[in-house]
Amino acid sequence: MDVLGTARAYIKEMVNLAGPQMKVILMDKETTTIVSCAFAQSEMMQKEVYLFERLDSPVPREPIKHLKCLVFVRPTPDNVQLLSTELRNPRYAQYYIYFSNIVSKTDLKTLAEADEHETVREVHEFFVDGIALSPPLFSVNLKQIYDSSFNLTASSFLRIKQALVALLLNQKKKPVIRYQRSSEDCRRLADDLNQVMRREEGLFDNAKRDTVLLIIDRSEDPVTPLLNQWTYEAMVHELITINNNRVTVDGQSMVLSELHDEFYAKNVSSNFGEIGQNIKVLMNEFQQKSQIHKNLESISDMKNFVEEYPQFKKISGTVSKHVTLVGELSKIVANQNLLEISEVEQSIVAEGDHSRCLERIRTLINHPKTSKLNALRLVLLYALRFEGHPNNSLSALVGMLKRDNDAASVVRALLRYGGSARRKSDLFGEGSTMGMTKRFIKGLKGVENIYTQHEPYLKEIVENTIRGRLSDQHYPYVAGDATNTRQENLIVFIVGGATFEEALFVRSQNEKRMQGGGGPSVTLATTFMHNTTSFIEQLASVPQWAR
C-alpha cells in the first residue's frame, strides 16, 4: 500500500479529467493541506493549474471567465452551501467538482438546482479525505478530539470514521477489522466501519479482502509521545515541529518532503550523529560544484552551466535548508542539555531503578539548562513508570516544578488517560515472564545506543499480529470476522495520535519486507502526528473539572 502514491494519482486524475487549458483549483481548508502534501505548487503549475483558491475565503474572488475550475472539497453542509452560491454566480467558465468522500443524493440535487448557468461539467467522488504524509503514513490531522471523559467527541468520531472509509475506498480494500477491546472508541469505530462496508456494498464491490485493519488507542502507550527523539524526522518534529511536511526556523518556512528532497528521503531515519556526517558530505559536493561554476571561461562552460543551473540551484536550496535545520537542532540539544535528559528518560522507561531515577530527575529539574517542558516530561514519565511503586514521590516532584502552574493538572490528566487503571498493556515488561526475559537478555547483551533503548508498544502489537499471536480476547474481530487467509496488508489506526518513532518502526518493517523478510505491508494511520508538546496540549485540552 502507498497512501501518498494513491493521493497523487487521484489528484492527477482530477486535473486530467478537466483537459487542457489554464485552470484554477478551488479547495477548502482540509483539502488544501491534502493537495499541498501530495504535490509541490510548481508541479501543479506544470499541469496548467495556475491559481489556488479557497472556497471558504472571506475575500471576494475576481471572475476569470476563461479559466476552468477544479473544485476539490469535503462533502460538508457548509461546502455544499458555498458551492451552490458559487454556481449561481459562476466566476469561471467550467466547473469540475470532486468530493473527497461519499456525497449524498440530496447534496447532489442541491448543486444541480444551483447550476442554473450549466457550468458544471463533471461531478465525482475521489476518496482522498485525509493527509498522506508519506507512502505508509496517513493522518486525519485532528488534535483536540476528547470530551471530559477522554472519549471521542461526536464530531471527532464522525470525522475519523469518514477518513477511514475514504482510506479503505482509495486503497480498494475491504478489510477484516480488529479493535482494542478495552477502548469503547475503538469498538464503536470498528462496528461503524463494518456497517458502512455493508451499507455501501456497491462502493466496495471491487475491493480486495487481503487486509487487516487494527484499531488501537493511544492510551495503551502514553510513553512514546513523551520521549526525546534522535532520528532526523522525529527529532525535527520533537524540537522544532513539522506541521504537515512544513517546518519553520527563524521565520523561514521550509518543506520537508521525501518526494522533492533527495537528501531528506535518504536521511529521514538517520540518527543525529549520522546526519552531521552526511551534511558534511553534501556540503563538500556542493562546494566542488560551486568551484566548477566559478570558472566559466568559454561559451561551452557557460552553456553547460545554464543547462545544469536548475539542478545546481536545487542542491543549493537543499544544502541551505538542511544546514539550517541541523544547526538549529544542535543548538537546542546543547542549550537544553538534551543528551543527559534523554539518557534519564531512557533509564526511566527501559530500566526502572526507582531510587536512581528519582535522584537524577531531581537533579535535572534543578539544572539551569532544563527547560520547563523537559522538567515536566521527566515527571510525567516518572508518574507512568512508578505509579504503583511503594516509595512513589510524584507529589514532591510536581512540587519542584515551580515554573509550571499547570503541572499538577497535566499529571492527573495523564494518569486518567493512560495510567495503569486504564491501560491493559504490560508497557514496561514487568507483568509477564516474557517481558522480564526480554529485559534480562537486553541487559546481558548491553545497549547499542543508550538514547534509543525504548521501543514503542506498537512494535509488539504489529509483530504479534504478523505472527498470528495477537490476543483475540484483547483485540477481537468485528462480528467474529476472523480469517486464516494470508493478509497482504496491515493498517494500524491509532486513536489519539501517533509519533514519528512509531512511523520509523513501520518504515523499517516495510523495508524488511522489501528485502525478502516477509509479512504484510504496514500502513500507520492516526488522528494526529504528535510530539511531546502537542500530546501534552491534547491532555490539557480536556476540561479542568473532569480531572
Side-chain angles (χ1 to χ4, degrees):
M1 283 176 55
D2 177 355
V3 294
L4 181 56
T6 304
R8 284 174 62 83
Y10 270 118
I11 294 165
K12 280 180 187 174
E13 183 64 14
M14 291 178 202
V15 178
N16 291 341
L17 280 173
Q21 200 175 319
M22 291 173 67
K23 292 175 275 287
V24 55
I25 185 166
L26 202 53
M27 300 170 285
D28 61 29
K29 183 180 178 182
E30 290 186 67
T31 56
T32 299
T33 306
I34 291 168
V35 172
S36 67
C37 285
F39 278 93
Q41 191 169 336
S42 57
E43 280 186 290
M44 293 296 283
M45 291 176 78
Q46 287 169 10
K47 299 178 186 303
E48 297 185 292
V49 180
Y50 295 108
L51 281 176
F52 303 83
E53 300 281 6
R54 284 276 292 272
L55 179 64
D56 54 351
S57 172
V59 181
R61 281 174 281 111
E62 290 294 320
I64 311 177
K65 291 292 186 179
H66 64 280
L67 288 187
K68 291 180 177 180
C69 179
L70 313 178
V71 181
F72 177 42
V73 292
R74 299 197 65 246
T76 64
D78 285 349
N79 282 342
V80 171
Q81 187 59 50
L82 287 168
L83 196 46
S84 297
T85 304
E86 173 79 21
L87 294 176
R88 286 193 182 94
N89 184 23
R91 293 172 174 83
Y92 309 106
Q94 298 172 0
Y95 288 81
Y96 297 79
I97 300 172
Y98 309 108
F99 288 106
S100 66
N101 215 318
I102 300 168
V103 61
S104 71
K105 289 178 181 177
T106 306
D107 287 342
L108 288 175
K109 186 182 177 188
T110 301
L111 292 175
E113 289 170 353
D115 186 25
E116 298 163 0
H117 299 273
E118 297 184 348
T119 52
V120 176
R121 294 293 177 269
E122 305 264 0
V123 180
H124 294 280
E125 294 166 333
F126 276 2
F127 301 107
V128 187
D129 206 16
I131 302 163
L133 295 171
S134 68
L137 187 59
F138 175 89
S139 170
V140 189
N141 204 33
L142 284 179
K143 184 163 71 171
Q144 296 182 356
I145 57 175
Y146 292 120
D147 64 16
S148 58
S149 301
F150 283 114
N151 294 317
L152 289 173
T153 61
S155 60
S156 298
F157 182 87
L158 177 62
R159 180 68 189 93
I160 292 165
K161 183 175 79 172
Q162 290 168 339
L164 278 171
V165 168
L167 177 63
L168 297 178
L169 286 170
N170 78 37
Q171 295 299 314
K172 296 179 173 57
K173 305 298 181 188
K174 191 175 183 181
V176 171
I177 303 175
R178 300 184 72 172
Y179 63 94
Q180 183 182 311
R181 186 190 290 276
S182 61
S183 166
E184 180 63 15
D185 287 330
C186 293
R187 185 197 63 76
R188 286 175 58 222
L189 271 173
D191 284 343
D192 275 30
L193 285 169
N194 193 49
Q195 288 173 25
V196 170
M197 288 193 297
R198 291 175 187 276
R199 187 173 65 245
E200 302 289 348
E201 204 168 342
L203 289 172
F204 287 91
D205 260 354
N206 298 318
K208 290 185 178 179
R209 297 278 293 180
D210 62 353
T211 301
V212 172
L213 169 62
L214 175 62
I215 304 173
I216 61 176
D217 201 292
R218 175 78 270 162
S219 60
E220 280 297 281
D221 175 12
V223 166
T224 300
L226 293 171
L227 296 171
N228 270 297
Q229 300 298 322
W230 295 98
T231 54
Y232 196 28
E233 181 177 46
M235 199 175 179
V236 171
H237 188 48
E238 181 61 36
L239 301 183
I240 303 173
T241 302
I242 302 171
N243 185 11
N244 298 321
N245 289 349
R246 286 189 172 273
V247 63
T248 302
V249 178
D250 295 332
Q252 180 187 354
S253 179
M254 295 173 276
V255 176
L256 284 180
S257 168
E258 294 174 60
L259 283 173
H260 309 112
D261 185 336
E262 189 180 344
F263 180 84
Y264 185 62
K266 285 180 179 176
N267 289 279
V268 71
S269 306
S270 300
N271 67 45
F272 190 47
E274 292 168 337
I275 287 292
Q277 293 301 315
N278 294 343
I279 281 282
K280 284 182 182 176
V281 172
L282 187 68
M283 284 285 289
N284 289 338
E285 288 176 2
F286 176 67
Q287 284 170 346
Q288 286 170 8
K289 290 190 177 182
S290 298
Q291 286 300 120
I292 292 168
H293 290 149
K294 280 180 183 175
N295 303 317
L296 302 177
E297 295 176 354
S298 67
I299 296 295
S300 176
D301 289 341
M302 293 178 193
K303 183 172 178 287
N304 289 336
F305 173 68
V306 169
E307 287 173 355
E308 292 176 13
Y309 182 73
Q311 185 63 21
F312 176 74
K313 192 176 178 185
K314 185 179 177 182
I315 294 170
S316 170
T318 300
V319 170
S320 172
K321 174 168 64 179
H322 291 290
V323 166
T324 300
L325 278 175
V326 173
E328 184 68 12
L329 293 177
S330 300
K331 185 172 75 176
I332 294 170
V333 167
N335 289 349
Q336 297 187 11
N337 192 28
L338 288 189
L339 287 169
E340 188 177 355
I341 284 169
S342 182
E343 186 183 342
V344 174
E345 290 169 21
Q346 295 290 324
S347 178
I348 294 168
V349 299
E351 296 166 19
D353 181 330
H354 178 262
S355 57
R356 186 165 176 267
C357 289
L358 181 59
E359 182 186 344
R360 296 191 73 184
I361 292 168
R362 282 174 173 157
T363 302
L364 282 173
I365 287 175
N366 290 321
H367 195 289
K369 282 188 173 182
T370 302
S371 68
K372 178 177 158 182
L373 174 65
N374 284 322
L376 178 59
R377 182 202 307 270
L378 290 170
V379 173
L380 292 173
L381 289 169
Y382 176 92
L384 290 168
R385 185 68 171 88
F386 301 110
E387 187 178 0
H389 197 279
N391 298 322
N392 183 292
S393 297
L394 181 59
S395 297
L397 289 177
V398 171
M400 292 177 71
L401 300 175
K402 300 183 181 75
R403 291 177 291 168
D404 195 339
N405 297 327
D406 298 323
S409 63
V410 171
V411 170
R412 284 197 299 272
L414 175 67
L415 292 176
R416 279 189 63 240
Y417 175 72
S420 57
R422 182 168 178 177
R423 220 172 51 235
K424 302 301 178 191
S425 61
D426 181 21
L427 198 53
F428 301 107
E430 294 178 312
S432 68
T433 308
M434 181 64 75
M436 286 186 276
T437 303
K438 280 182 182 175
R439 287 173 65 207
F440 178 68
I441 291 171
K442 204 172 189 179
L444 287 178
K445 285 182 177 176
V447 178
E448 187 180 332
N449 186 336
I450 59 170
Y451 303 110
T452 56
Q453 296 176 67
H454 172 262
E455 292 177 338
Y457 186 60
L458 178 72
K459 181 176 187 286
E460 185 177 324
I461 289 177
V462 168
E463 288 177 349
N464 283 340
T465 305
I466 291 170
R467 292 169 185 157
R469 294 178 186 166
L470 191 67
S471 166
D472 290 359
Q473 182 183 350
H474 297 307
Y475 297 92
Y477 293 85
V478 170
D481 199 12
T483 177
N484 293 320
T485 56
R486 178 180 169 81
Q487 299 299 315
E488 291 295 323
N489 304 284
L490 171 62
I491 303 171
V492 182
F493 186 84
I494 306 180
V495 177
T499 67
F500 280 110
E501 183 182 348
E502 288 156 331
L504 177 64
F505 160 69
V506 167
R507 186 188 294 270
S508 68
Q509 187 69 32
N510 288 331
E511 284 171 359
K512 283 180 195 170
R513 181 177 189 263
M514 295 295 287
Q515 291 161 9
S521 166
V522 183
T523 299
L524 179 61
T526 189
T527 48
F528 194 79
M529 290 307 295
H530 277 307
N531 56 16
T532 300
T533 300
S534 65
F535 183 59
I536 289 172
E537 285 171 355
Q538 180 173 279
L539 295 172
S541 68
V542 174
Q544 286 274 352
W545 61 267
R547 302 181 203 161

